[in-house]
């Protein structure tokens, strides 16, 4: 029973560390779309819910995309996938 408890504590500690690292990257959110440079207002609930954030933990980079640029990128990826089949 003690080893189960130790394993559970270890998992919880690792999860807390991961959350801490991810929240640390929150300050790195850019103020504009990476592609079109449209301004991003962090206080605008609509923008926050519609814009896409891509976090690269390994490189410690955070990228931000507006809905228009995100949709265009998705379309390009889908078209490329269809062409390669």
């Amino acid at each position: 029973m003690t080893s189960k408890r130790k394993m559970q504590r270890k998992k919880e500690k690792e999860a807390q560390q991961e959350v801490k690292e991810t929240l640390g990257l929150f300050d790195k959110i850019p103020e504009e779309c990476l592609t079109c440079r449209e301004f991003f207002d962090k206080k605008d609930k609509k923008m926050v819910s519609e814009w896409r954030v891509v976090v690269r933990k390994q490189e410690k980079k955070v990228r931000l995309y507006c809905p228009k640029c995100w949709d265009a990128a998705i379309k390009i990826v889908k078209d490329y996938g269809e062409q390669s089949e």
Side-chain angles (χ1 to χ4, degrees), residues 30-84:
E31 294 181 358
E32 59 187 19
C33 174
L34 181 69
T35 307
C36 69
R37 305 287 186 218
E38 182 180 340
F39 176 74
F40 176 69
D41 183 7
K42 294 177 184 178
K43 296 178 183 175
D44 184 346
K45 288 183 180 182
K46 185 176 180 189
M47 278 187 160
V48 170
S49 67
E50 292 178 350
W51 285 48
R52 302 292 179 150
V53 178
V54 178
V55 177
R56 303 272 184 196
K57 287 185 184 180
Q58 298 288 337
E59 298 91 21
K60 295 187 179 180
K61 291 186 179 181
V62 179
R63 297 185 174 130
L64 183 68
Y65 300 94
C66 70
K68 186 175 78 174
C69 293
W70 184 261
D71 292 342
I74 295 298
K75 185 180 182 308
I76 290 169
V77 170
K78 283 183 181 177
D79 290 346
Y80 179 77
E82 291 173 1
Q83 288 178 357
S84 63

